[in-house]
Amino acid sequence: MVKRNINAADTVLDVIVYTVLFLLVAVTVYPLLYVILASLSDGDLLLAHRGLLWKPLGFSTLAYERALANPAVWSGYWNTVQLVAGGIAVNLTMTILGAYVLSRRHVLWNKPLTIFVVLTMFFHGGIIPFYLVVKGTGVLNTLWALLLPFAVKTFHLIIMRTAFLSLPASLEESAQIDGAGHLTMLLRIVLPLSMPVLAVIVLYTSVDKWNMWFYPSVFIQDKALYPLQLVLREILIQNYTDNISAGVSAGDVRKVGETIKYATIVIATVPVLLVYPFLQKYFVKGALIGAIKG
């Protein structure tokens, strides 16, 4: 066993590294901690408080009771779940098919210039072309307006194509000798060996759809179809607290609304925090596989 000689320079470097990491963690974690503590605080005490927050100010769950009793929050949850599920299905299907075609060897698609041209076609063109496409296809004010324009993302396509190219060519040749077609090779060979990359694409797509609010604000006019993040935006920016503050006196609307804002942020964030640990083990591996070979 080789022993490492630790000198003063190594010690100083370690102290600097751990200090920087601690500060980064603190800067990242504290805002979330503040939101949680504020959501559990009394409205009057929270409005009067200034500075950092290290514990709930007069523990209260009223904000969560009001937020969860709001129909807009639950309809937003349901719309977001549909958006995430549909986004994963559409994006994963189109990305897999596109990446498989672009990763085939000895075909025109494998030429660098052709690949560049094809991939460039998938880059986002901005809100105006999206709006014209959505309006022209008749899906304006439906959840399809948030799925079809984003069916393929270039970044996802590049990652998955690179992962497919990293698979041994001998597997494809053996399958062809056994009479396997492209669909069989894709479903029984390529995809089972690419699970880490698929997990990465699922995670990227899930977070993207879960946090989507700008395009829904453009394409969706019916409040019954608002995803959760748009409901949250209404609460945070436009004081969308009519249903939430029902039964609360006029003088108490502000203090209840203040804590409800934080409670709604927690409600909207928790699902992502719960799902991420289960996909984390695939995340680094899949991202590296999609980046080491072009």
Side-chain angles (χ1 to χ4, degrees):
M1 181 177 181
V2 179
K3 293 184 178 180
R4 177 189 173 192
N5 294 325
I6 301 177
N7 53 37
D10 291 334
T11 302
V12 172
L13 181 59
D14 288 342
V15 171
I16 294 175
V17 170
Y18 284 116
T19 302
V20 172
L21 290 176
F22 175 79
L23 292 175
L24 289 175
V25 170
V27 170
T28 304
V29 172
Y30 181 75
L32 180 59
L33 178 64
Y34 183 95
V35 170
I36 295 174
L37 296 177
S39 68
L40 296 171
S41 298
D42 178 82
D44 284 330
L45 297 176
L46 183 63
L47 287 175
H49 179 74
R50 295 294 181 272
L52 300 177
L53 191 64
W54 299 107
K55 63 179 181 179
L57 302 174
F59 183 84
S60 173
T61 60
L62 178 62
Y64 288 96
E65 295 172 8
R66 293 289 181 179
L68 295 176
N70 181 22
V73 173
W74 289 108
S75 66
Y77 250 117
W78 173 238
N79 293 331
T80 299
V81 169
Q82 295 182 80
L83 184 60
V84 170
I88 291 174
V90 173
N91 187 265
L92 205 59
T93 300
M94 298 302 295
T95 303
I96 288 173
L97 295 176
Y100 182 79
V101 172
L102 293 174
S103 66
R104 295 305 86 198
R105 299 169 176 87
H106 311 301
V107 294
L108 177 62
W109 301 104
N110 203 32
K111 303 297 182 181
L113 181 60
T114 306
I115 293 174
F116 174 78
V117 173
V118 173
L119 293 181
T120 302
M121 294 172 60
F122 290 107
F123 275 109
H124 288 173
I127 184 62
I128 295 178
F130 279 179
Y131 184 84
L132 294 177
V133 170
V134 168
K135 186 176 181 180
T137 53
V139 296
L140 191 65
N141 202 34
T142 69
L143 291 180
W144 282 107
L146 307 177
L147 297 177
L148 296 181
F150 313 97
V152 177
K153 287 198 171 184
T154 308
F155 179 60
H156 298 175
L157 196 65
I158 293 173
I159 290 179
M160 191 165 292
R161 171 188 172 271
T162 306
F164 288 174
L165 282 174
S166 67
L167 299 177
S170 58
L171 293 176
E172 179 181 339
E173 295 170 357
S174 299
Q176 289 176 339
I177 292 174
D178 292 335
H182 287 293
L183 184 61
T184 301
M185 287 192 293
L186 177 62
L187 297 179
R188 303 187 64 178
I189 298 176
V190 176
L191 292 184
L193 295 175
S194 305
M195 292 305 296
V197 177
L198 297 179
V200 171
I201 301 302
V202 168
L203 181 61
Y204 282 157
T205 304
S206 300
V207 174
D208 178 62
K209 298 302 182 185
W210 188 271
N211 292 329
M212 183 177 283
W213 69 269
F214 176 72
Y215 288 106
S217 69
V218 176
F219 297 147
I220 305 296
Q221 287 82 43
D222 186 358
K223 289 189 176 182
L225 296 176
Y226 276 8
L228 184 60
Q229 297 301 331
L230 195 53
V231 173
L232 175 60
R233 177 181 179 273
E234 295 285 321
I235 293 174
L236 291 177
I237 299 178
Q238 301 179 6
N239 294 320
Y240 185 61
T241 56
D242 295 339
N243 292 330
I244 294 178
S245 301
V248 180
S249 62
D252 293 337
V253 168
R254 184 185 176 194
K255 70 176 184 179
V256 173
E258 188 69 17
T259 55
I260 285 175
K261 292 177 182 180
Y262 292 111
T264 310
I265 293 174
V266 174
I267 292 172
T269 307
V270 164
V272 176
L273 297 179
L274 293 178
V275 171
Y276 182 77
F278 296 99
L279 297 176
Q280 185 180 14
K281 62 181 180 179
Y282 298 108
F283 185 78
V284 176
K285 182 179 179 181
L288 288 177
I289 289 175
I292 59 177
K293 184 177 180 180

